[in-house]
Amino acid sequence: MIFIELVLQNFGPYNGRQVINLNPQENDNSRPILLLGGMNGGGKTTLMDAIRLALYGPRAQCSTRGNLSYGDFLTQCVNSHTPAIEKTRIELLFEHIENDHPVKYRIVRTWEKNPKDGKDNLGILELDIAKQDDWLREELVNTWDDYIENLLPLGISNLFLFDGEQVKELAEQEIPPPTVVDAIRGLLGLELAERLGVDLEIVVNRKRKEIADTKDLVNLEEIEKRLKQQQAEYEEKTKQLEKLTTELQKSEKQKQEAFDTFVYEGGKIAAERNQLELQKKQKTAEVEQARQGMCQLAANVLPLALIEPLLTQAQRQGEKEFRIQQAQVARDILFERDQRLLNWMTQVGISEEQFEKIKVFLEKDEETLRARLIQPEESWLLADAETLSQLGNVFYYLQNDKKIAKQQIGILKNKEEDIVTLERQIQTAAEPEAYKQLVDALEAAQNKVSQIQAASVVTKRRCDELEAEIKNIKKDLQEYSKQNIDRKNYEHIIT
């Protein structure tokens, strides 16, 4: 798997559209290493977060997310200078081998401030290497979590998706155990000041007891007893809180593992099985409706498309015979007119020589018209004007039906492809028994995390209460000593 290009638009500190070339093999580079450097806060870690977010979406373990929901985290990632009409966008182009051939995919995630339903818009585009063009892979959008989990599991992504500042954190396994922290503090001598404060407090109390009378001693011992009880409970609750924190981290890790298993083994798709089944049923009904439309077209003039050349030939023959008929009618009219003209010339007394010349001219003209308009062919179709008009209407409706049929075939093909895609998704879903086991395991992990979180909150609240009570008891002890023991000591010294 090779990252080729990263595009950031209004993401974090990157304002506008920024294109980062990640391909180390470009231009025959003999040193295929990319080094990204910058000052603290310059956006180095943001690049790693962008790659994680593009690949894993809501499951991405980004550095600045913390306990934020996915929607709040997306809003946090929007650049502060982004116009209201623009969206935040991340694109990641990568290449890997699929069926022994290199394939390039472009992951596109877009969102705006306060995204609807707390989600982003995901698009998976496949790059046609020959045409240098992208086309949408809708089936990958619906199964992207499963696809990327098979290609690059989330659990091992942290082994290489980290920057220099995260090396120390990775080596220390996120949070060092309390025993390691205590050992380091003891090695550096950081507990000496705390121990000195405790020892001084013991010495002060001892001296106060030495100069206190019996009544004062009883009051002091009562206050000290309360103080010790509160301090003992505080230490117990503190240890309990540390234990709960460790258990919470372990439970959250188990919860994440259960969720990853739930996604990997088809639990997510199984949860959407009913919706996918409804979509398949709807697509099937649409296919049947398209087929009924094709049947209706076939019941009209559409079958005549099989003999369209014969219909065209018949139309041409009919038009030709119709023109011959019109020419014959015109010839008869002209012949009658010529006869009237010759009769009229006889009556008006034109000379015989001129009469013969005009008669020869009219005969030649008639032969010329006959040669031009009347072909020596026998008429066999004998179509009249109304028949030719109806034949023209048949051609008009036939072309419309052919166009509609072509559109219906395209729609039918697309619907059938959608049905095949839905069937593939349904086949990848877990079986009902396996799905129930996955759901039970995930719910058990979530319930355990919730219980430990609730116990941690209660214990933390009790620790805060004990800390406040211990502070008040120490304050009471100090006030009592100042107002009683110190005063009597002064009186004793005066006496």
Side-chain angles (χ1 to χ4, degrees):
M1 184 176 184
I2 300 176
F3 295 148
I4 299 177
E5 182 182 81
L6 178 64
V7 179
L8 303 179
Q9 182 173 341
N10 302 325
F11 182 75
Y14 296 94
N15 189 22
R17 180 179 175 87
Q18 310 294 332
V19 182
I20 304 169
N21 185 7
L22 302 177
N23 189 2
Q25 304 296 337
E26 198 172 70
N27 299 325
D28 297 329
N29 190 355
S30 60
R31 298 179 179 178
I33 296 176
L34 296 177
L35 177 61
L36 302 176
M39 300 294 290
N40 289 340
K44 302 186 299 298
T45 305
T46 303
L47 295 178
M48 308 304 297
D49 289 342
I51 294 176
R52 290 190 182 96
L53 185 59
L55 291 174
Y56 302 107
R59 299 190 298 140
Q61 300 175 356
C62 298
S63 60
T64 59
R65 180 173 179 178
N67 294 325
L68 293 176
S69 65
Y70 188 54
D72 294 339
F73 174 65
L74 293 178
T75 300
Q76 174 184 280
C77 293
V78 177
N79 185 273
S80 59
H81 301 288
T82 303
I85 60 176
E86 291 189 10
K87 292 185 178 182
T88 301
R89 185 184 184 96
I90 294 179
E91 299 181 15
L92 178 62
L93 177 63
F94 69 90
E95 177 181 344
H96 79 104
I97 303 300
E98 189 173 283
N99 296 327
D100 298 330
H101 295 285
V103 180
K104 291 184 179 180
Y105 289 122
R106 183 184 298 273
I107 310 172
V108 180
R109 292 185 185 271
T110 59
W111 69 90
E112 54 191 11
K113 276 191 175 182
N114 301 316
K116 186 178 180 181
D117 300 329
K119 298 180 180 179
D120 53 17
N121 295 319
L122 173 63
I124 306 298
L125 306 177
E126 182 175 348
L127 177 62
D128 191 332
I129 300 177
K131 299 182 180 179
Q132 293 295 318
D133 191 16
D134 295 345
W135 56 288
L136 182 64
R137 293 288 300 273
E138 294 184 358
E139 72 278 5
L140 281 182
V141 174
N142 297 327
T143 60
W144 179 247
D145 287 341
D146 298 331
Y147 183 85
I148 194 62
E149 191 67 22
N150 291 328
L151 183 63
L152 182 61
L154 177 64
I156 66 171
S157 62
N158 287 330
L159 295 180
F160 58 91
L161 285 179
F162 60 86
D163 55 16
E165 296 177 354
Q166 293 173 312
V167 174
K168 177 177 178 294
E169 180 181 355
L170 182 64
E172 293 181 351
Q173 298 179 354
E174 298 181 357
I175 299 176
T179 55
V180 177
V181 176
D182 295 339
I184 294 176
R185 290 174 60 87
L187 181 62
L188 298 178
L190 299 179
E191 85 287 356
L192 293 179
E194 297 177 359
R195 182 177 298 176
L196 179 60
V198 173
D199 293 342
L200 287 175
E201 187 176 354
I202 293 174
V203 172
V204 170
N205 291 334
R206 186 182 302 164
K207 293 301 181 182
R208 283 172 177 166
K209 291 179 182 179
E210 291 178 357
I211 63 175
D213 56 16
T214 304
K215 182 178 179 181
D216 294 332
L217 184 59
V218 173
N219 292 334
L220 280 176
E221 289 179 349
E222 182 181 354
I223 296 175
E224 287 180 352
K225 183 178 179 181
R226 289 170 47 208
L227 180 61
K228 288 180 180 179
Q229 290 176 350
Q230 299 294 343
Q231 287 177 338
E233 185 178 358
Y234 179 77
E235 292 179 359
E236 181 183 356
K237 293 297 181 181
T238 302
K239 292 180 180 179
Q240 184 179 354
L241 182 60
E242 292 177 353
K243 183 178 179 181
L244 289 173
T245 302
T246 303
E247 291 180 357
L248 180 60
Q249 293 174 357
K250 183 178 179 181
S251 298
E252 287 179 344
K253 183 177 180 181
Q254 293 175 350
K255 172 187 172 183
Q256 186 63 41
E257 291 176 353
F259 179 75
D260 294 341
T261 303
F262 179 80
V263 173
Y264 177 75
E265 296 185 4
K268 182 179 180 182
I269 298 180
E272 301 172 354
R273 180 189 291 272
N274 292 335
Q275 184 178 0
L276 294 176
E277 292 286 356
L278 290 176
Q279 292 179 2
K280 178 184 174 183
K281 185 177 180 180
Q282 181 180 358
K283 296 292 182 183
T284 304
E286 293 174 356
V287 167
E288 184 62 26
Q289 183 179 1
R291 289 176 177 171
Q292 291 294 331
M294 293 292 294
C295 292
Q296 293 176 1
L297 290 175
N300 204 348
V301 299
L302 185 61
L304 294 178
L306 298 174
I307 59 170
E308 188 172 358
L310 296 178
L311 293 176
T312 303
Q313 183 180 359
Q315 186 183 36
R316 291 175 181 174
Q317 180 66 24
E319 291 175 350
K320 183 178 180 181
E321 292 180 0
F322 186 72
R323 287 195 301 269
I324 292 174
Q325 293 175 2
Q326 290 179 331
Q328 290 176 350
V329 172
R331 186 196 63 179
D332 295 338
I333 293 173
L334 290 174
F335 179 75
E336 293 177 357
R337 184 204 64 180
D338 293 343
Q339 291 296 325
R340 290 194 303 273
L341 178 61
L342 291 175
N343 293 332
W344 176 80
M345 287 188 297
T346 302
Q347 295 174 3
V348 296
I350 296 176
S351 63
E352 185 176 352
E353 182 181 356
Q354 291 177 342
F355 179 81
E356 290 296 331
K357 289 182 179 180
I358 292 174
K359 182 178 180 181
V360 171
F361 171 78
L362 292 175
E363 290 176 352
K364 289 183 179 180
D365 184 61
E366 182 181 354
E367 292 178 356
T368 302
L369 291 175
R370 183 183 301 169
R372 288 182 180 177
L373 299 177
I374 304 175
Q375 301 296 329
E377 294 182 3
E378 182 179 358
S379 298
W380 53 270
L381 189 60
L382 303 177
D384 55 10
E386 183 179 357
T387 302
L388 292 176
S389 176
Q390 292 178 355
L391 185 58
N393 291 335
V394 168
F395 272 102
Y396 173 77
Y397 290 114
L398 180 59
Q399 296 302 322
N400 286 340
D401 286 357
K402 285 173 61 178
K403 183 177 180 181
I404 295 174
K406 186 176 181 180
Q407 294 175 352
Q408 290 291 336
I409 290 174
I411 294 174
L412 185 63
K413 183 178 180 181
N414 293 334
K415 298 297 183 183
E416 289 176 346
E417 291 178 353
D418 293 341
I419 291 175
V420 172
T421 300
L422 291 172
E423 288 177 347
R424 290 177 179 173
Q425 295 180 17
I426 293 173
Q427 289 175 358
T428 59
E431 296 297 330
E433 295 181 358
Y435 172 71
K436 186 177 185 305
Q437 295 177 357
L438 292 172
V439 171
D440 292 342
L442 182 59
E443 290 180 351
Q446 292 174 342
N447 293 335
K448 185 176 180 181
V449 170
S450 300
Q451 293 174 1
I452 297 177
Q453 286 178 342
S456 298
V457 171
V458 173
T459 305
K460 180 65 168 58
R461 187 185 299 115
R462 181 54 181 166
C463 287
D464 294 339
E465 294 175 354
L466 290 172
E467 187 175 2
E469 292 177 2
I470 291 173
K471 184 177 180 180
N472 292 332
I473 292 175
K474 288 183 177 180
K475 183 178 180 181
D476 293 341
L477 181 61
Q478 183 178 4
E479 292 295 330
Y480 182 84
S481 300
K482 182 178 180 181
Q483 296 177 3
N484 292 279
I485 299 178
D486 293 342
R487 177 177 55 79
K488 291 184 178 180
N489 188 33
Y490 294 153
E491 293 177 354
H492 174 71
I493 293 174
I494 293 174
T495 303

